[in-house]
Short mmCIF file of all heavy atoms in Angstrom, two decimals:
data_model
loop_
_atom_site.label_atom_id
_atom_site.label_comp_id
_atom_site.label_asym_id
_atom_site.label_seq_id
_atom_site.Cartn_x
_atom_site.Cartn_y
_atom_site.Cartn_z
N PRO A 256 -173.60 138.53 26.37
CA PRO A 256 -172.31 138.56 25.57
C PRO A 256 -171.08 138.17 26.32
O PRO A 256 -170.24 137.44 25.74
CB PRO A 256 -172.22 140.04 25.10
CG PRO A 256 -173.50 140.77 25.55
CD PRO A 256 -174.30 139.83 26.35
N GLU A 257 -170.95 138.58 27.52
CA GLU A 257 -169.69 138.31 28.28
C GLU A 257 -169.47 136.82 28.55
O GLU A 257 -168.41 136.41 28.94
CB GLU A 257 -169.64 139.12 29.54
CG GLU A 257 -170.71 138.81 30.61
CD GLU A 257 -172.10 139.30 30.32
OE1 GLU A 257 -172.32 139.92 29.26
OE2 GLU A 257 -173.02 138.99 31.08
N THR A 258 -170.54 135.98 28.27
CA THR A 258 -170.36 134.54 28.48
C THR A 258 -170.12 133.73 27.24
O THR A 258 -170.07 132.57 27.20
CB THR A 258 -171.59 133.97 29.18
OG1 THR A 258 -172.67 134.03 28.30
CG2 THR A 258 -171.94 134.75 30.54
N VAL A 259 -170.09 134.43 26.07
CA VAL A 259 -170.01 133.72 24.77
C VAL A 259 -168.46 133.93 24.30
O VAL A 259 -167.94 135.00 24.37
CB VAL A 259 -170.88 134.38 23.73
CG1 VAL A 259 -170.66 133.76 22.32
CG2 VAL A 259 -172.36 134.19 24.14
N TYR A 260 -167.93 132.80 23.89
CA TYR A 260 -166.48 132.78 23.48
C TYR A 260 -166.39 132.50 21.98
O TYR A 260 -166.84 131.50 21.57
CB TYR A 260 -165.71 131.81 24.38
CG TYR A 260 -165.57 132.38 25.74
CD1 TYR A 260 -166.57 132.14 26.66
CD2 TYR A 260 -164.44 133.14 26.07
CE1 TYR A 260 -166.44 132.72 27.91
CE2 TYR A 260 -164.34 133.71 27.37
CZ TYR A 260 -165.35 133.52 28.28
OH TYR A 260 -165.26 134.09 29.51
N PHE A 261 -165.77 133.37 21.26
CA PHE A 261 -165.56 133.21 19.85
C PHE A 261 -164.16 132.71 19.49
O PHE A 261 -163.24 132.95 20.28
CB PHE A 261 -165.78 134.59 19.16
CG PHE A 261 -167.19 135.06 19.23
CD1 PHE A 261 -167.57 135.97 20.18
CD2 PHE A 261 -168.14 134.54 18.40
CE1 PHE A 261 -168.92 136.50 20.33
CE2 PHE A 261 -169.48 135.00 18.49
CZ PHE A 261 -169.81 135.96 19.47
N ALA A 262 -164.10 132.03 18.33
CA ALA A 262 -162.72 131.75 17.85
C ALA A 262 -162.33 132.91 16.82
O ALA A 262 -163.19 133.68 16.43
CB ALA A 262 -162.75 130.44 17.06
N HIS A 263 -161.07 132.85 16.41
CA HIS A 263 -160.59 133.88 15.59
C HIS A 263 -161.33 134.04 14.25
O HIS A 263 -161.33 135.08 13.67
CB HIS A 263 -159.07 133.65 15.34
CG HIS A 263 -158.79 132.43 14.55
ND1 HIS A 263 -158.38 132.46 13.24
CD2 HIS A 263 -158.97 131.09 14.85
CE1 HIS A 263 -158.26 131.24 12.79
NE2 HIS A 263 -158.61 130.35 13.74
N ASP A 264 -161.98 132.87 13.88
CA ASP A 264 -162.56 132.89 12.49
C ASP A 264 -164.13 132.60 12.53
O ASP A 264 -164.63 132.22 11.55
CB ASP A 264 -161.90 131.81 11.68
CG ASP A 264 -161.96 130.46 12.26
OD1 ASP A 264 -162.48 130.31 13.46
OD2 ASP A 264 -161.52 129.44 11.68
N THR A 265 -164.70 132.84 13.69
CA THR A 265 -166.18 132.53 13.79
C THR A 265 -166.96 133.51 12.91
O THR A 265 -166.72 134.72 12.93
CB THR A 265 -166.63 132.62 15.21
OG1 THR A 265 -165.91 131.90 16.04
CG2 THR A 265 -168.08 132.21 15.41
N VAL A 266 -167.92 132.86 12.11
CA VAL A 266 -168.73 133.74 11.31
C VAL A 266 -170.23 133.44 11.63
O VAL A 266 -170.65 132.29 11.61
CB VAL A 266 -168.53 133.43 9.78
CG1 VAL A 266 -169.49 134.25 8.91
CG2 VAL A 266 -167.13 133.67 9.40
N ILE A 267 -170.91 134.45 11.99
CA ILE A 267 -172.33 134.34 12.41
C ILE A 267 -173.24 135.31 11.61
O ILE A 267 -172.98 136.49 11.61
CB ILE A 267 -172.54 134.50 13.86
CG1 ILE A 267 -171.59 133.66 14.71
CG2 ILE A 267 -174.00 134.17 14.32
CD1 ILE A 267 -171.83 133.59 16.20
N GLY A 268 -174.25 134.76 10.92
CA GLY A 268 -175.21 135.54 10.11
C GLY A 268 -176.06 136.46 10.98
O GLY A 268 -176.34 136.16 12.12
N ARG A 269 -176.63 137.46 10.24
CA ARG A 269 -177.57 138.38 10.85
C ARG A 269 -178.81 137.71 11.44
O ARG A 269 -179.23 136.71 10.94
CB ARG A 269 -177.93 139.27 9.72
CG ARG A 269 -178.40 140.68 10.13
CD ARG A 269 -178.29 141.53 8.89
NE ARG A 269 -179.18 142.70 9.07
CZ ARG A 269 -180.40 142.71 8.59
NH1 ARG A 269 -180.91 141.67 7.84
NH2 ARG A 269 -181.18 143.70 8.83
N ASP A 270 -179.36 138.28 12.51
CA ASP A 270 -180.54 137.75 13.10
C ASP A 270 -180.44 136.32 13.60
O ASP A 270 -181.43 135.59 13.74
CB ASP A 270 -181.76 137.86 12.15
CG ASP A 270 -182.21 139.35 12.04
OD1 ASP A 270 -182.11 140.05 13.17
OD2 ASP A 270 -182.63 139.81 11.00
N SER A 271 -179.24 135.93 13.92
CA SER A 271 -179.06 134.65 14.67
C SER A 271 -179.11 135.01 16.12
O SER A 271 -178.81 136.20 16.45
CB SER A 271 -177.75 134.01 14.27
OG SER A 271 -177.77 133.37 13.05
N THR A 272 -179.34 134.08 16.97
CA THR A 272 -179.25 134.36 18.39
C THR A 272 -178.32 133.37 19.03
O THR A 272 -178.38 132.16 18.73
CB THR A 272 -180.64 134.18 19.04
OG1 THR A 272 -181.52 135.15 18.49
CG2 THR A 272 -180.70 134.39 20.52
N VAL A 273 -177.51 133.88 19.91
CA VAL A 273 -176.54 133.00 20.74
C VAL A 273 -176.82 133.26 22.15
O VAL A 273 -176.71 134.30 22.65
CB VAL A 273 -175.13 133.35 20.32
CG1 VAL A 273 -174.17 132.36 21.15
CG2 VAL A 273 -174.79 133.21 18.85
N GLU A 274 -177.38 132.19 22.78
CA GLU A 274 -177.72 132.25 24.21
C GLU A 274 -176.45 132.18 25.10
O GLU A 274 -175.37 131.99 24.56
CB GLU A 274 -178.68 131.15 24.51
CG GLU A 274 -180.03 131.29 23.92
CD GLU A 274 -181.08 130.33 24.39
OE1 GLU A 274 -180.74 129.33 25.10
OE2 GLU A 274 -182.31 130.45 24.09
N PRO A 275 -176.64 132.33 26.38
CA PRO A 275 -175.49 132.36 27.30
C PRO A 275 -174.63 131.07 27.24
O PRO A 275 -175.08 129.96 26.97
CB PRO A 275 -176.10 132.54 28.65
CG PRO A 275 -177.44 133.17 28.43
CD PRO A 275 -177.88 132.58 27.13
N ASN A 276 -173.35 131.31 27.54
CA ASN A 276 -172.38 130.24 27.74
C ASN A 276 -172.22 129.27 26.60
O ASN A 276 -172.17 128.08 26.65
CB ASN A 276 -172.78 129.40 28.98
CG ASN A 276 -172.70 130.29 30.25
OD1 ASN A 276 -171.64 130.71 30.66
ND2 ASN A 276 -173.88 130.47 30.86
N VAL A 277 -172.05 129.93 25.43
CA VAL A 277 -171.78 129.15 24.16
C VAL A 277 -170.33 129.36 23.85
O VAL A 277 -169.86 130.47 23.95
CB VAL A 277 -172.72 129.60 23.02
CG1 VAL A 277 -172.25 128.99 21.69
CG2 VAL A 277 -174.16 129.24 23.33
N VAL A 278 -169.61 128.29 23.42
CA VAL A 278 -168.23 128.41 23.06
C VAL A 278 -168.02 127.96 21.68
O VAL A 278 -168.55 126.94 21.24
CB VAL A 278 -167.38 127.41 23.99
CG1 VAL A 278 -165.90 127.46 23.53
CG2 VAL A 278 -167.50 127.87 25.48
N PHE A 279 -167.41 128.83 20.87
CA PHE A 279 -167.11 128.55 19.46
C PHE A 279 -165.62 128.21 19.30
O PHE A 279 -164.80 128.98 19.63
CB PHE A 279 -167.38 129.70 18.56
CG PHE A 279 -168.88 130.05 18.46
CD1 PHE A 279 -169.36 131.07 19.29
CD2 PHE A 279 -169.66 129.34 17.68
CE1 PHE A 279 -170.77 131.40 19.25
CE2 PHE A 279 -171.08 129.62 17.60
CZ PHE A 279 -171.62 130.65 18.38
N GLY A 280 -165.33 126.97 18.90
CA GLY A 280 -163.96 126.62 18.54
C GLY A 280 -163.71 127.07 17.10
O GLY A 280 -164.64 127.63 16.46
#
Side-chain angles (χ1 to χ4, degrees):
E257 65 287 357
T258 68
V259 175
Y260 289 83
F261 292 99
H263 65 109
D264 59 354
T265 308
V266 177
I267 306 186
R269 204 162 159 265
D270 286 325
S271 285
T272 295
V273 181
E274 288 188 352
N276 297 296
V277 171
V278 175
F279 294 99

